[in-house]
Amino acid sequence: MTASKVVSFGHYQPGRIVPNAELEKLVDTSDEWITRRTGIKERRWAGESDTVDSMAAEAGRMALANAGDLDATQIDLVIVATCTERDRSPNMAARVANALGMDQGPATIDVNTVCSGFCHALALAQHAIAAGSATNALVIGSEKFTDATDFTDRTTCVLTADGAGAMVVTASAESGISPVLWGSVPSMSDAIRIEESNNGKFAQNGQSVYRWAVTQLPAIAAKVIERAGLDPEEIGAIVLHQANLRIIEPLAAQIGAPNAIVATDVVYSGNTSAASVPLALSKMMADQPLPSGTPILLFAFGGGLSYAGQVITAP
């Protein structure tokens, strides 16, 4: 089987920055309450011209620009992870391929496992390359989460935000992506919902999700590192789903990787669901590049309750 590696990153965020003070005008909340409960200080909200596919295309364009000699004409697989698309056909991946001028006709696939979607999509790209079904893949997480936000619910509207993140993944002689560890807790599948019965708006049982995340996920994340054949001390960075700083901090601490930089992009970007892992990592690599070969733990969790994670090496 053919191994694969990540060669570049990209991201896109809308221009509108929304501080906590602006939310005080919408619901009964305060900057102190939001910061204490979530760690979020500001987030980005999309404008009318920003769509799931347009943001995905911008993130993908940046990732391709950062991919050296590789360009859009060499991509034979596009996967977009999202749970907020409004249009069902053509899917988001096909729209992105068209926007990026991929007339060579890559396979185009959408993935919806909500917040864990990008890690699932990355694993599918890895599997396709291993099977010989693809050579170069563009993997994207993109969400217009404000479209699914109930702005009368102060427990959820302070979390959600918009944006996209992307990676270019290619066939490689040496593995740069570990085997995925993924799964779900079907008995808790209704803890996070975006359903027509709620006008298509995001709702969750926040306390149940928090307890599950901080008590059950550390052991699962540790298994991701073990599956990669590494010790926690070897991990150079941890990029968790940017759900809530009050989940990220204890989860990262319990993973026990003392030398790792922990991504906390949620403070400035909010919760962007399937976009949060690649968005946070792309911004980290742009601001503070990690040395080539540094092991990076990716781990995401969300609706389903689903989870997925793998270790990649920095390009």
Side-chain angles (χ1 to χ4, degrees):
M1 293 193 299
T2 304
S4 56
K5 65 180 180 180
V6 176
V7 297
S8 64
F9 308 98
H11 64 273
Y12 173 83
Q13 289 184 284
R16 182 183 175 189
I17 299 173
V18 181
N20 289 342
E22 188 167 335
L23 290 171
E24 295 175 359
K25 303 172 185 178
L26 297 177
V27 290
D28 179 17
T29 192
S30 67
D31 174 62
E32 185 278 332
W33 188 90
I34 297 169
T35 303
R36 175 167 47 86
R37 298 290 289 269
T38 73
I40 299 170
K41 298 298 293 184
E42 62 186 38
R43 71 283 292 147
R44 300 290 187 101
W45 285 358
E48 291 185 5
S49 62
D50 291 310
T51 61
V52 172
D53 53 298
S54 73
M55 292 188 291
E58 289 301 320
R61 188 172 284 112
M62 180 178 178
L64 287 165
N66 292 333
D69 294 334
L70 192 69
D71 62 31
T73 65
Q74 296 167 278
I75 297 295
D76 49 18
L77 173 62
V78 180
I79 307 179
V80 175
T82 184
C83 68
T84 53
E85 73 281 2
R86 288 186 169 185
D87 301 312
R88 297 186 181 183
S89 182
N91 67 2
M92 296 300 105
R95 293 169 188 261
V96 168
N98 183 49
L100 297 179
M102 296 181 181
D103 294 334
Q104 72 276 16
T108 53
I109 303 168
D110 284 3
V111 172
N112 178 7
T113 53
V114 199
C115 302
S116 65
F118 182 84
C119 290
H120 279 82
L122 180 59
L124 294 176
Q126 178 194 26
H127 296 166
I129 291 171
S133 299
T135 301
N136 303 307
L138 179 61
V139 186
I140 304 171
S142 183
E143 303 282 18
K144 193 172 181 180
F145 216 178
T146 50
D147 274 354
T149 298
D150 179 356
F151 286 102
T152 67
D153 179 1
R154 74 170 190 160
T155 65
T156 57
C157 74
V158 300
L159 299 170
T160 55
D162 307 319
M167 294 182 189
V168 173
V169 180
T170 69
S172 172
E174 297 184 1
S175 177
I177 305 174
S178 75
V180 68
L181 179 65
W182 52 14
S184 65
V185 186
S187 63
M188 294 182 66
S189 61
D190 63 350
I192 300 172
R193 306 174 305 282
I194 303 176
E195 297 178 327
E196 286 301 318
S197 60
N198 190 41
N199 297 315
K201 302 303 182 184
F202 165 53
Q204 68 173 350
N205 186 328
Q207 286 300 314
S208 294
V209 174
Y210 175 81
R211 286 193 297 270
W212 172 72
V214 300
T215 61
Q216 303 301 313
L217 292 183
I220 298 172
K223 289 181 181 178
V224 176
I225 299 173
E226 181 181 344
R227 183 166 288 189
L230 300 171
D231 293 323
E233 293 78 11
E234 298 177 86
I235 299 298
I238 295 174
V239 185
L240 305 174
H241 167 45
Q242 304 292 294
N244 183 321
L245 192 62
R246 307 311 171 209
I247 294 177
I248 293 169
E249 290 179 329
L251 179 51
Q254 291 181 73
I255 289 170
N259 302 313
I261 299 168
V262 179
T264 56
D265 186 52
V266 68
V267 175
Y268 302 105
S269 296
N271 181 340
T272 55
S273 188
S276 78
V277 166
L279 173 62
L281 181 53
S282 180
K283 291 174 68 177
M284 174 188 287
M285 293 296 288
D287 295 340
Q288 187 181 0
L290 296 167
S292 178
T294 299
I296 305 168
L297 171 65
L298 310 182
F299 190 73
F301 52 91
L305 288 172
S306 64
Y307 57 84
Q310 57 269 100
V311 175
I312 68 169
T313 55

